[in-house]
Amino acid sequence: MNGVATWRGQVPAWECDPDGRWEFGFLAGAFAEAARIAGADERAIRAIEGQRPVAGALVEIRTERRGEVLHHTMVDLSDGVAFARASGPGRGPLPSVAASMTGDASRAATLDLVRGRESDVMGHMNVQFYAQRVTAAEAMALGAAGRADARIVRPLEHRYRFAGELKAGDAAASRVSLTGQGAETLRVKIAAGDGRPAAVVESDLAGADRAPVDLSDRFQPPAQAIADPVWSAGDWFPGATDREHMAILSRAEVAAWQVDHTGIMPPRFFFDRMAGGVPFLLAGMGLDRPYMLRHGLGRAAVGYRLRYLRWPRAGDCLELRSGIGLVRDKTWRFRHVFINLADGEAVCSAEAVIVLLDLSTRRAVPLPAEIRDRASALEI
């Protein structure tokens, strides 16, 4: 297949028709994003022909120029078979963000645009959509490495470190490699199309039976282990006393549309539920929305650690309990645990390191003394 990759991703189950195929609007959106990444006007995309991929499929759009026309072909990365095609006018060379993705199967990556609906009230891409891209990058890397179970390998743990912001309209690219720290640990780097770093994520992977996977025969490990850890903020895990002192922020059923093609609720929706509870924690600290707007403040996570103990399925009822921990001059922690209400067992724990942002400079600022005092009184 000629051309360069201008879009790569995994078809989300929640964007599919009842027949399990990608809804046409989302398929068309992927072609539109590929056109924009290739430097063309997305409105120039002409009629899309061919088949729609199924939920969970790992797909790539490859673009080539013939004269003043760009031809886009969507292919299945597992077998190279073409799904659909589109074309449209386009001039000038394809950008480096597309060219840099070509022929890099040992570091398989996602490539797309940050959509407006993926931005939160802070004006940057919400962490749940980082998680969605990480899941796709994991599956793509394993698929490119020849693992037949690429679509059902799941993380035991995720560790995030954020280094910048992605905003609507940015091209977002991710690359995957071994860390050298363990045969089952992948490192996913997410950056803007112009190279600005956004996040680094470590994934400890396991098969569907939760047995760790050995990837050393599939990836070339680095000459020496990567020295800088993604997460260095401790090893908190909720004990019985912690759970008693944590606030119940939500109780909700896992909806049928919130599971992936394998039938489990993926990491993205853990983040979605945590994001919905965070404003209540902030209000308890005195950082409600009116206060933040009045003082030109926002907040951002600089790190996350999640441990996945069980994978919820549609119909499971989850309780989210959350609290505040380790308040410092410029940072504090949000701590969360998801509990299956049927048996009271934890299914996931998470801890995040948060900073207060000056929205005019986009830089971290110290917590006001009265806010720090209120937060400290709530520590678990």
Side-chain angles (χ1 to χ4, degrees):
M1 183 68 66
N2 296 324
V4 296
T6 50
W7 195 95
R8 297 183 93 184
Q10 184 174 34
V11 177
W14 47 90
E15 293 182 359
C16 290
D17 288 332
D19 63 0
R21 293 192 175 275
W22 212 4
E23 287 185 5
F24 183 82
F26 290 110
L27 175 70
F31 276 111
E33 289 182 25
R36 288 178 60 188
I37 290 172
D41 190 331
E42 63 186 55
R43 293 172 296 181
I45 286 288
R46 295 172 183 164
I48 299 170
E49 301 176 345
Q51 301 297 314
R52 293 174 293 142
V54 298
L58 305 173
V59 297
E60 175 179 274
I61 296 177
R62 300 192 68 80
T63 301
E64 59 179 324
R65 178 172 282 102
R66 301 174 195 165
E68 293 189 356
V69 178
L70 294 178
H71 293 267
H72 311 280
T73 303
M74 178 176 287
V75 299
D76 187 331
L77 287 173
S78 66
D79 55 19
V81 173
F83 281 115
R85 294 178 174 84
S87 61
R91 300 177 181 179
L94 295 176
S96 59
V97 64
S100 67
M101 304 290 290
T102 307
D104 198 15
S106 66
R107 295 168 63 98
T110 62
L111 174 63
D112 59 10
L113 290 179
V114 178
R115 305 159 187 90
R117 60 183 170 83
E118 295 179 325
S119 296
D120 58 25
V121 295
M122 296 301 105
H124 53 217
M125 187 171 76
N126 187 267
V127 66
Q128 67 176 292
F129 299 108
Y130 282 92
Q132 183 168 325
R133 287 166 172 82
V134 168
T135 295
E138 292 165 349
M140 285 190 162
L142 296 172
R147 288 191 64 103
D149 59 352
R151 296 187 184 184
I152 59 172
V153 172
R154 297 165 182 164
L156 294 171
E157 185 171 308
H158 274 145
R159 297 175 293 278
Y160 283 72
R161 182 178 70 218
F162 294 95
E165 297 178 287
L166 289 174
K167 299 186 177 182
D170 281 344
S174 66
R175 293 185 177 276
V176 183
S177 62
L178 278 183
T179 65
Q181 298 169 350
E184 73 288 346
T185 301
L186 289 180
R187 178 169 286 207
V188 181
K189 292 185 177 180
I190 300 176
D194 58 10
R196 288 179 288 113
V200 180
V201 185
E202 286 180 353
S203 301
D204 296 340
L205 299 180
D209 60 357
R210 293 190 59 82
V213 298
D214 186 342
L215 303 175
S216 57
D217 63 336
R218 306 286 183 167
F219 289 84
Q220 182 64 41
Q224 59 185 22
I226 299 173
D228 58 321
V230 168
W231 177 265
S232 57
D235 193 32
W236 174 81
F237 187 80
T241 302
D242 289 329
R243 287 171 57 165
E244 290 175 3
H245 289 88
M246 298 170 86
I248 298 174
L249 295 186
S250 73
R251 283 177 172 167
E253 181 184 46
V254 177
W257 69 270
Q258 293 175 324
V259 300
D260 66 14
H261 57 286
T262 70
I264 59 98
M265 188 178 86
R268 176 204 160 170
F269 291 107
F270 286 105
F271 280 106
D272 178 40
R273 293 184 183 219
M274 288 187 289
V278 159
F280 298 96
L281 293 176
L282 291 169
M285 296 170 60
L287 292 174
D288 56 23
R289 189 67 176 151
Y291 180 96
M292 302 277 263
L293 291 173
R294 191 164 60 249
H295 292 87
L297 297 173
R299 86 276 179 179
V302 295
Y304 267 96
R305 183 178 189 173
L306 295 94
R307 294 177 176 177
Y308 305 101
L309 308 174
R310 292 160 60 183
W311 291 102
R313 296 182 175 273
D316 287 351
C317 293
L318 300 183
E319 177 180 271
L320 172 62
R321 293 191 176 217
S322 303
I324 296 167
L326 294 179
V327 180
R328 298 292 185 261
D329 183 43
K330 281 192 174 183
T331 68
W332 70 94
R333 312 275 181 92
F334 282 148
R335 291 170 167 172
H336 310 273
V337 60
F338 291 87
I339 299 167
N340 188 321
L341 287 174
D343 58 17
E345 294 297 319
V347 300
C348 176
S349 70
E351 184 174 27
V353 178
I354 311 295
V355 297
L356 202 59
L357 283 181
D358 181 322
L359 291 180
S360 63
T361 64
R362 309 302 287 190
R363 293 184 179 277
V365 295
L367 282 167
E370 69 277 10
I371 300 296
R372 189 169 60 250
D373 291 343
R374 284 186 67 170
S376 296
L378 298 172
E379 280 190 31
I380 57 171

